Amino acid sequence: MILTFFGTGTSTGVPVIGCQCETCLSSDPRDKRMRTSAFIELENPKASILIDAGPDFRTQMLANGKTTIDAVLLTHIHYDHVGGLDDLRGVNYSMHRSIDVFAQQDVADGVMRNLHYAFSPHPYPGSPKMTMNVITHDTFTAAGHAVTPLPVMHGQLPIVGFRIGRLAYITDAKSVPDSTIRLAQGVDTLVINALGLREHPSHISLDQAIEIALRVNARQTFFTHMSHSMGPYALRVPSLPKNVTLAYDGLQVQIP
């Protein structure tokens, strides 16, 4: 499995428009963060799976040289995670078929309402072609691979991360129940959100993310969905525990 971090920023991206903080003014490309998304390439069977398609999706596909997607997994309905779904039309043109999208009922309903022109009985010409698949908390199959939802709370909103093979991917969590920690244990690689240094009402902080990472005890952990308050990459990474680091846009990780 190869995991590519398409985006590792929060809903505003980094730099934030108009901000003059140290992170936003950094010239380090690892501090330039598009909205959070991940692209996973798998074998046996060969497949590519996208987790979330935010408003930077088109730019992310082009920047990483990707043209095909076999399935899209959606964590929740917020715009920074679904705002790029209309751009799947380019992938439709490349693959000559509809793309399977997997989401919880509330997310599926929201997507079909917002992109009604694509899901109506008579879709608007040229609209993206998606086949919506409603998931529960049970393991399901996407592009020939088993996927287990990882329930978490995003403030007061129930959302899901995903376990695929030896990867556990969680974003936008504020609280992670013990049952989800157990589902994630035994993975090689954990990806989890870490908004910044301060307490936040709907996202876990860096210290809280470190605590969860130590409980899961993966071989390697990467933090994502970071705001500019995390500070510059080069200053923050040396202070992190062994085998725990910040992800950055374009980073590729091999997972056995």
Side-chain angles (χ1 to χ4, degrees), residues 23-39:
T23 311
C24 290
L25 294 178
S26 170
S27 60
D28 188 337
R30 296 170 297 185
D31 292 323
K32 312 299 183 185
R33 302 185 181 278
M34 290 186 278
R35 269 61 71 95
T36 291
S37 176
F39 188 86

Side-chain angles (χ1 to χ4, degrees), residues 39-246:
F39 188 86
I40 303 166
E41 296 165 281
L42 304 111
E43 300 292 339
N44 302 319
K46 187 176 181 67
S48 55
I49 295 177
L50 178 74
I51 301 180
D52 289 337
D56 301 312
F57 167 67
R58 175 181 172 275
T59 300
Q60 292 164 340
M61 286 288 284
L62 293 171
N64 289 279
K66 307 301 183 185
T67 59
T68 62
I69 295 172
D70 295 296
V72 179
L73 313 181
L74 299 178
T75 60
H76 62 297
I77 193 59
H78 288 166
Y79 185 79
D80 56 317
H81 294 264
V82 302
L85 285 172
D86 183 82
D87 286 322
L88 283 173
R89 67 180 70 194
V91 183
N92 295 143
Y93 301 155
S94 176
M95 300 185 71
H96 307 289
R97 62 176 173 82
S98 180
I99 297 169
D100 280 319
V101 177
F102 296 84
Q104 294 190 109
Q105 186 70 65
D106 66 308
V107 181
D109 291 344
V111 169
M112 290 188 290
R113 180 172 60 250
N114 294 339
L115 277 72
H116 56 88
Y117 55 88
F119 289 96
S120 69
H122 304 286
Y124 189 82
S127 60
K129 294 179 173 60
M130 292 172 277
T131 302
M132 185 62 70
N133 300 271
V134 175
I135 63 172
T136 62
H137 289 173
D138 296 329
T139 297
F140 60 94
T141 300
H145 293 269
V147 181
T148 300
L150 301 175
V152 297
M153 293 297 295
H154 180 19
Q156 299 301 310
L157 179 66
I159 69 171
V160 290
F162 299 101
R163 177 169 179 166
I164 307 172
R166 302 188 69 197
L167 166 68
Y169 184 98
I170 295 171
T171 187
D172 285 55
K174 172 58 180 177
S175 59
V176 180
D178 291 343
S179 55
T180 294
I181 296 289
R182 289 192 293 271
L183 287 172
Q185 285 175 334
V187 298
D188 172 86
T189 302
L190 170 67
V191 177
I192 190 165
N193 59 294
L195 189 71
L197 307 184
R198 297 183 295 274
E199 184 79 12
H200 189 275
S202 59
H203 299 83
I204 57 178
S205 66
L206 177 61
D207 287 344
Q208 292 164 338
I210 290 172
E211 179 183 347
I212 293 169
L214 295 175
R215 292 182 63 194
V216 173
N217 194 31
R219 181 180 66 87
Q220 54 184 351
T221 295
F222 297 90
F223 294 148
T224 192
H225 204 279
M226 292 169 283
S227 75
H228 59 165
S229 68
M230 179 63 77
Y233 179 96
L235 296 180
R236 188 61 55 214
V237 166
S239 67
L240 298 177
K242 182 181 179 182
N243 301 326
V244 175
T245 192
L246 307 185

